[in-house]
Amino acid sequence: MAIESDVLVIGGGLAGLTSALSAARSGADVRLVSYKQSTLRNASGLVDILGYTPNGEGPLTDPYDAIPDLPSEHPYKTVGLETVRESMELFDEVTPQYRGSHTDTNALLPTHGGTIKPTARYPAGASAGVASDSRDVLLVGLESMTDFNAEHAAAHLDAAGVPFDVRGETIRFPGELRADAKVTRYAKMLDTNSEVTVRGRKKPVREAIAELVNTEIENESRVGFPAVLGDDHTAEIRQELGEKIGADVFEVPMGPPSLPGLRLEDRLFEALDEAGGMFETGNPVEDFEAEDGHIEHVLVEKNGAMVPYSADEFVLATGGLVGKGINSDREGVFEPIFDCHIDHSEDRYDWFDTEAFGDHPFASFGVTTDDRLRPLDGSGDLEFENLRAAGSVLGGYDFAAEKSGSGVSIATGYEAGNHAATEAQ
Amino acid sequence: MASVPHIAVIGGGSTGIGIARDLSMRGVDVTLVEQGNLTHGTTGRMHGLLHSGGRYAVADQKSATECIEENRVLRDIASHCVEMTGGLFVKRPEDTEEYFQKKLEGCKECGIPAEVVSREEARQMEPHLAKDIDKAITVPDGAIDPFRLVVANAASAKEHGARIETHTKVTDLLVEDDEVVGIEVEHASGAGKHVHGVEGGTEEIYADYVVNATGAWAGRIGDMAGVDIEVRPSKGVMTIMNIRQVDTVINRCKPKGDADIVVPHETTAILGTTDEEVDDPEDYPEKQWEVDHMIDTLSELVPMLEDARTIRSFWGVRPLYEPPNVGSDDPTDITRDYFLLDHDERDNLQGMTSIVGGKFTTYRMMGEEISDHVCEKFGIDAECRTADVPLPGSEDFSVLRDYMDEFGLRSPIGRRSVERLGSRADEVLKTDGPNPTVCECEGVTRAEVQDAIDQSGSDLNAVRIRTRSSMGNCQGGFCCHRMANELYGEYDELTTREAWDELLQERWKGQRHALWGQQLSQAMLNYAMHAATQNRDNDPADGTPIDFSAFDNGQAVTTGDDAGATDVATDGGQHGD
């Protein structure tokens, strides 16, 4: 018997999860299939809506203000300002661990690169670090962690003109960790509050860390650590450290593997489960069958067999170049599952700018859609009547330059999921 | 003339640095100046082949004989820079038997050990060779790290008292009465190690003799004294693959041709190359067809290259020279031999000799010849010792020790560190603190990066070439900021930020020629990490000041299951301004 559902979402990142969630909450029978770990593990866990305009103006104080002036091909223009707001309401509702919903104004958050970036929502764990708070900060680095040098980050924040005094100190993480220990290893020790030996005496690791920080802290009322403060018990760890140190504790978002990104992914899968959505991970969608511009089913590879998954409506949320929802070879750029049209120059030397942070066309590669997020072919006709696209697989915006990745995924995921649910019922 | 003459050497590539080492070992005072980093010119832009001489065994037997001699010397004095991979000249069915036989005989005539192997034997050695090749000739080709070799030569020259100035550009030759008496230079950042943001300045360096070892740039130095040096720069592309598809150097056995060699180098394989004359060694077109040509043509020898991932491409400029009366049209016909141009004999300009042409593999021999020439002028009777005394890092280094326990390094990283450092491993890796990995692709640890910073100042590109950090598959995506983190402390934040941005820009430069498939995906990930997460493209520290009070200060966040900041200040963030 074929596997059937009203809506089938392909992709388990922020766009796919939001899309499945919004379709499920609209009452549709939803199934999400994803292949590999999503790109959320690469993301800082900060949820940006819009930090800079496509012309590089910013940091923007109010992301919503700038949306009406975006170019027409921008996904925010496709879904419209009201949808962006509604989608953020859904996000806020399902992620009580996030902050920033009390205002339309962007926050400026320090990151491990040592500078600050504008963002619309931030994990509670990062909230005591906002740069517009004027309390002094002590950043604490870990000697073995090459990704974050607290003294360097502090000096860099100071150069960025933050309105507080900031200092960095480096400690050696207590316990017998290898020099190359992964962030998950630190997190695990903190989650379980493992015993470590300090100068011959055994004590819980959280206490040992607090003692080390207490020898360094002066009168700072905020203390920032790299984002390794637990995976399952992050709030509890922060609170305990905060009480022992006598300051608000926060995490500085980091690059991959990013615990805040993974925590967000976990939370959204949980929310999808609560909303009654089905999901399965680990098997790729390899092919599909369609008739008269209508997709009948996709074929999922399972242990070498091709299993058909049929649905009324399909959502393509497979990601961009990083997530491999968009792929390329020496001849061109393509969308690998449905071969949806991707607008690009035939000369691959037109795909990039010569400056590292120039205006890179490749950053905006993706499918073009109608106003209901359905991919269009090269002549502007629908590829399929029952396929919608969401997230980074969409073209027309450079999320890295704009700092708009999460917001576009949430807004287009929400819209695609809603439309799909409506059409399917 | 002083009893110990002072010689100025211009050019910090393999030739110049080889001369500096040789002369300083003979007790001569040497100052070497280089406009960029060491290896900034052609030396840093080659495929890393340690020639057996096989490539020249038919058409240029003098060069071939020199190559095999120097091949043996370098294996001895520079063991930590050389990997003896062996090489194959592979004949495909469409390549002529006649040329195959000529190659074999030529090798024998030049003293290059060469044996014929059957298709089956060749494919046992290299399983990814095409199924339809005919046969092959084995030769002792190898891979050599040009950066490591030049840095080791520089270290040796310094030990013998030489002064080495990088980021120091010659702006003029000092000429008095038809004699070159020195050079005028401009330091990018003051004498000594290169440090960003340190005021540079000009300096007149008087010398008893000047050696122009600037390769493809030799004509520019000649112009400063009004002498013509007709270097014919010829560009060649090299494309780096993400893995070693082959462990042996693979040459195509046919007369001349583009895209006829694959050199395994560290974790990568390098495809080469083209040969096209250019007007300007610093400004020439880099074209897509050249990269495509490498992949398409070399796939005839190694079919898996067709769909393999390339991580970047780069171009180098050969400093070819031919005497004025030859007049070859095609740069592939120009000899690879080197020429010593004594401007006194040639142009009635005393006090300077230029050395042009030649190959990386014979850099030491060129250094020896020009050092002999200089010593003769000053009546110095000193033996050349560069062929006998191992380079720093290659002394007493017969067995790779297991450093894993000793230095707490994971085994593959320990092995690679020790291979790079050679006999300096003890000195560099013994540190007090933990020694985490900075560059995972290339297995480079903090201790190595710190050692390179000690040697080269605040220039992270110089750290890169010394350690290979940021030169692997991710092309610096995951480690550029880590390298900057290592630099901070020794240098201040602004200096660090400038060095970091330079490194990012340099890493981007070569990747642009590999942007499709997985490497385009990697480039997008790098861009996202650097721009979206780190905000390196819009760093407020670089731009106009921000009004922090206009942004969310984290208030009204005390609801929910997970209380956040409390007791926030309410002045909107003007404290301290």
Side-chain angles (χ1 to χ4, degrees):
Chain A
M1 199 181 77
I3 296 164
E4 288 176 15
S5 45
D6 294 340
V7 177
L8 184 82
V9 177
I10 309 168
L14 194 47
L17 283 162
T18 307
S19 168
L21 199 53
S22 74
R25 287 162 59 110
S26 305
D29 165 34
V30 179
R31 179 181 295 270
L32 179 147
V33 290
S34 78
Y35 178 26
K36 290 184 179 163
Q37 231 177 350
S38 88
T39 49
L40 278 167
R41 74 186 293 279
N42 297 329
S44 60
L46 299 177
V47 174
D48 312 335
I49 295 177
L50 191 68
Y52 297 84
T53 68
N55 301 326
E57 288 157 38
L60 300 170
T61 48
D62 185 337
Y64 299 105
D65 249 6
I67 287 176
D69 297 327
L70 291 171
S72 61
E73 67 273 17
H74 199 289
Y76 281 145
K77 291 287 274 194
T78 309
V79 301
L81 179 59
E82 274 318 299
T83 302
V84 180
R85 286 188 181 279
E86 283 170 27
S87 69
M88 289 311 296
E89 282 166 22
L90 169 64
F91 177 83
D92 291 334
E93 192 188 325
V94 300
T95 57
Q97 303 80 351
Y98 270 73
R99 299 287 175 267
S101 60
H102 62 282
T103 172
D104 281 355
T105 305
N106 272 328
L108 300 169
L109 269 290
T111 76
H112 73 138
T115 190
I116 46 170
K117 66 167 275 189
T119 192
R121 300 287 186 276
Y122 38 92
S127 65
V130 293
S132 299
D133 179 338
S134 58
R135 294 174 302 158
D136 292 347
V137 168
L138 173 67
L139 294 176
V140 177
L142 306 176
E143 195 177 8
S144 290
M145 186 169 282
T146 52
D147 270 314
F148 182 69
N149 174 335
E151 290 85 348
H152 182 207
H156 198 158
L157 283 173
D158 194 50
V162 293
F164 48 83
D165 287 339
V166 52
R167 225 160 42 83
E169 293 287 355
T170 299
I171 62 169
R172 188 172 294 189
F173 197 91
E176 295 295 314
L177 281 177
R178 268 198 341 216
D180 282 328
K182 301 275 179 248
V183 293
T184 43
R185 189 76 190 85
Y186 294 103
K188 181 87 181 169
M189 280 184 77
L190 283 159
D191 268 339
T192 56
N193 204 11
S194 316
E195 285 212 324
V196 293
T197 308
V198 180
R199 283 191 298 275
R201 279 188 50 222
K202 285 192 169 193
K203 58 181 71 168
V205 69
R206 296 176 195 169
E207 187 183 321
I209 288 176
E211 283 174 8
L212 287 170
V213 174
N214 282 334
T215 65
E216 305 290 354
I217 196 162
E218 287 167 6
N219 45 16
E220 294 90 353
S221 47
R222 304 190 274 167
V223 176
F225 290 89
V228 299
L229 302 184
D231 196 6
D232 299 327
H233 305 290
T234 178
E236 177 193 310
I237 294 165
R238 236 172 32 248
Q239 191 179 352
E240 183 176 341
L241 287 176
E243 282 164 8
K244 290 192 158 72
I245 295 169
D248 280 343
V249 166
F250 65 93
E251 287 186 315
V252 177
M254 310 258 285
S258 158
L259 285 174
L262 292 169
R263 291 176 199 140
L264 175 58
E265 181 177 85
D266 288 348
R267 172 58 206 140
L268 292 174
F269 270 112
E270 221 173 75
L272 178 58
D273 196 33
E274 288 158 14
M278 312 269 284
F279 53 85
E280 55 182 80
T281 58
N283 301 306
V285 173
E286 288 285 1
D287 207 350
F288 70 102
E289 280 184 39
E291 206 169 305
D292 299 330
H294 186 93
I295 298 167
E296 304 289 330
H297 59 250
V298 294
L299 293 162
V300 177
E301 196 206 301
K302 285 188 177 175
N303 307 322
M306 295 292 247
V307 183
Y309 280 52
S310 65
D312 296 332
E313 295 286 323
F314 294 84
V315 177
L316 180 67
T318 44
L321 286 166
V322 179
K324 310 284 167 63
I326 310 284
N327 211 336
S328 63
D329 56 28
R330 282 193 282 152
E331 274 69 53
V333 183
F334 53 94
E335 184 281 297
I337 297 178
F338 300 101
D339 199 24
C340 290
H341 173 74
I342 310 284
D343 201 24
H344 66 279
S345 166
E346 275 181 28
D347 180 351
R348 68 168 193 262
Y349 280 65
D350 291 339
W351 296 354
F352 56 81
D353 187 88
T354 54
E355 294 294 312
F357 295 115
D359 198 357
H360 296 304
F362 70 77
S364 306
F365 283 165
V367 301
T368 315
T369 68
D370 72 353
D371 59 3
R372 298 167 74 79
L373 292 172
R374 291 179 297 185
L376 301 174
D377 65 18
S379 41
D381 298 322
L382 285 182
E383 292 270 13
F384 304 96
E385 62 184 24
N386 60 339
L387 178 67
R388 287 176 169 74
S392 312
V393 76
L394 293 167
Y397 72 114
D398 175 345
F399 78 80
E402 294 172 9
K403 329 297 168 199
S404 64
S406 302
V408 167
S409 288
I410 291 168
T412 57
Y414 172 83
E415 183 81 337
N418 271 346
H419 281 311
T422 310
E423 292 295 326
Q425 283 159 13
Chain B
M1 223 167 263
S3 55
V4 178
H6 174 218
I7 314 297
V9 179
I10 313 172
S14 55
T15 311
I17 212 80
I19 296 165
R21 179 181 191 228
D22 197 329
L23 285 173
S24 60
M25 284 174 82
R26 299 194 206 198
V28 175
D29 274 348
V30 176
T31 299
L32 180 141
V33 296
E34 160 58 46
Q35 62 173 338
N37 275 320
L38 293 176
T39 76
H40 169 83
T42 306
T43 303
R45 318 194 126 257
M46 58 167 298
H47 44 42
L49 173 65
L50 177 65
H51 279 276
S52 63
R55 286 176 74 81
Y56 307 120
V58 179
D60 189 352
Q61 294 204 337
K62 180 169 182 284
S63 291
T65 310
E66 290 168 0
C67 280
I68 187 65
E69 281 175 29
E70 287 301 297
N71 174 300
R72 295 196 171 103
V73 170
L74 290 179
R75 276 188 247 168
D76 200 28
I77 65 157
S79 57
H80 79 295
C81 309
V82 171
E83 182 189 356
M84 275 317 290
T85 59
L88 290 172
F89 279 85
V90 178
K91 177 187 176 310
R92 287 191 48 82
E94 59 269 32
D95 305 333
T96 70
E97 179 65 22
E98 188 198 349
Y99 187 77
F100 188 84
Q101 291 304 330
K102 275 191 185 170
K103 181 70 80 184
L104 191 60
E105 283 156 27
C107 284
K108 291 187 172 153
E109 284 161 20
C110 299
I112 302 163
E115 304 278 344
V116 177
V117 290
S118 67
R119 172 198 307 160
E120 290 72 26
E121 288 166 325
R123 295 193 71 239
Q124 259 175 9
M125 292 167 68
E126 283 303 334
H128 294 300
L129 278 175
K131 292 196 176 88
D132 62 343
I133 63 158
D134 274 352
K135 54 185 173 179
I137 301 170
T138 61
V139 292
D141 281 342
I144 184 160
D145 188 316
F147 304 117
R148 214 179 294 162
L149 183 80
V150 168
V151 167
N153 269 283
S156 172
K158 275 190 176 171
E159 279 173 16
H160 291 91
R163 173 183 172 201
I164 295 183
E165 293 288 345
T166 58
H167 300 276
T168 295
K169 189 170 180 145
V170 174
T171 49
D172 206 358
L173 291 174
L174 305 173
V175 181
E176 291 171 7
D177 303 329
D178 290 332
E179 182 178 357
V180 179
V181 296
I183 55 180
E184 181 191 279
V185 298
E186 192 170 319
H187 297 288
S189 60
K193 289 192 291 191
H194 178 57
V195 178
H196 287 74
V198 174
E199 194 83 9
T202 57
E203 181 185 355
E204 290 185 343
I205 301 174
Y206 283 88
D208 298 303
Y209 205 77
V210 173
V211 177
N212 173 20
T214 53
W217 286 258
R220 294 195 177 176
I221 300 295
D223 289 345
M224 293 173 184
V227 297
D228 266 345
I229 304 169
E230 287 286 311
V231 182
R232 295 180 61 180
S234 156
K235 71 165 176 171
V237 67
M238 280 140 284
T239 294
I240 310 185
M241 311 308 291
N242 70 323
I243 55 165
R244 278 167 74 125
Q245 283 86 1
V246 293
D247 289 319
T248 310
V249 175
I250 306 292
N251 301 271
R252 181 80 177 258
C253 190
K254 62 178 189 184
K256 58 190 180 184
D258 285 348
D260 64 351
I261 188 166
V262 185
V263 183
H265 190 81
E266 300 271 328
T267 54
T268 68
I270 302 183
L271 317 187
T273 180
T274 45
D275 198 345
E276 224 190 322
E277 200 157 342
V278 296
D279 295 330
D280 184 338
E282 282 174 5
D283 185 18
Y284 47 84
E286 300 176 346
K287 295 291 192 190
Q288 169 176 357
W289 72 262
E290 298 176 89
V291 176
D292 288 338
H293 186 46
M294 288 308 111
I295 297 168
D296 295 339
T297 309
L298 284 162
S299 301
E300 294 171 11
L301 290 180
V302 184
M304 74 181 296
L305 293 174
E306 181 71 39
D307 298 313
R309 170 177 174 184
T310 89
I311 56 177
R312 61 197 282 127
S313 287
F314 60 96
W315 277 254
V317 187
R318 299 176 190 83
L320 300 183
Y321 177 84
E322 65 177 13
N325 52 348
V326 180
S328 304
D329 290 334
D330 185 339
T332 57
D333 290 332
I334 301 176
T335 176
R336 267 42 179 172
D337 206 357
Y338 58 89
F339 297 86
L340 200 147
L341 311 177
D342 185 323
H343 296 290
D344 186 15
E345 292 161 20
R346 191 173 172 269
D347 311 294
N348 292 317
L349 176 71
Q350 292 180 50
M352 182 167 86
T353 288
S354 296
I355 183 155
V356 288
K359 290 167 307 301
F360 178 78
T361 299
T362 56
Y363 86 95
R364 193 211 59 82
M365 185 182 268
M366 293 158 71
E368 177 173 350
E369 194 168 325
I370 203 151
S371 298
D372 285 348
H373 180 76
V374 170
C375 286
E376 194 188 306
K377 292 214 174 260
F378 292 93
I380 297 169
D381 182 21
E383 287 279 300
C384 171
R385 294 189 293 137
T386 55
D388 305 315
V389 181
L391 288 163
S394 288
E395 303 121 337
D396 184 26
F397 186 62
S398 48
V399 186
L400 281 187
R401 288 159 52 191
D402 184 358
Y403 278 76
M404 185 170 85
D405 295 334
E406 195 163 343
F407 300 123
L409 299 172
R410 279 184 284 153
S411 166
I413 290 172
R415 184 177 57 75
R416 300 203 52 212
S417 291
V418 173
E419 279 171 3
R420 278 191 297 266
L421 294 165
S423 50
R424 294 188 60 240
D426 266 315
E427 171 197 337
V428 174
L429 297 177
K430 276 192 174 151
T431 59
D432 294 336
N435 189 20
T437 306
V438 172
C439 165
E440 278 153 28
C441 299
E442 293 294 317
V444 183
T445 60
R446 170 178 287 166
E448 268 187 270
V449 170
Q450 289 296 343
D451 173 60
I453 291 170
D454 285 345
Q455 290 179 40
S456 59
S458 70
D459 186 336
L460 287 176
N461 279 311
V463 172
R464 171 178 64 80
I465 64 175
R466 280 170 166 78
T467 59
R468 289 189 62 80
S469 188
S470 80
M471 288 171 80
N473 277 355
C474 85
Q475 292 285 291
F478 285 78
C479 65
C480 285
H481 69 282
R482 295 177 185 165
M483 290 169 72
N485 279 342
E486 294 301 319
L487 191 62
Y488 180 78
E490 191 75 27
Y491 296 97
D492 65 18
E493 192 278 327
L494 182 61
T495 307
T496 302
R497 198 178 343 134
E498 284 172 6
W500 182 4
D501 284 343
E502 266 179 34
L503 178 66
L504 287 170
Q505 188 59 36
E506 192 287 335
R507 291 287 75 196
W508 179 243
K509 193 172 176 242
Q511 273 179 84
R512 297 176 296 165
H513 303 288
L515 290 185
W516 67 85
Q518 283 181 318
Q519 205 61 27
L520 182 58
S521 175
Q522 179 77 54
M524 186 65 213
L525 174 60
N526 292 357
Y527 178 48
M529 291 191 295
H530 297 155
T533 301
Q534 296 174 9
N535 205 8
R536 285 297 320 131
D537 60 331
N538 269 302
D539 188 344
D542 296 327
T544 45
I546 290 180
D547 177 9
F548 283 87
S549 65
F551 290 84
D552 172 18
N553 66 3
Q555 284 182 317
V557 294
T558 47
T559 54
D561 67 337
D562 190 348
T566 51
D567 187 32
V568 287
T570 52
D571 68 354
Q574 293 306 307
H575 166 89
D577 276 358

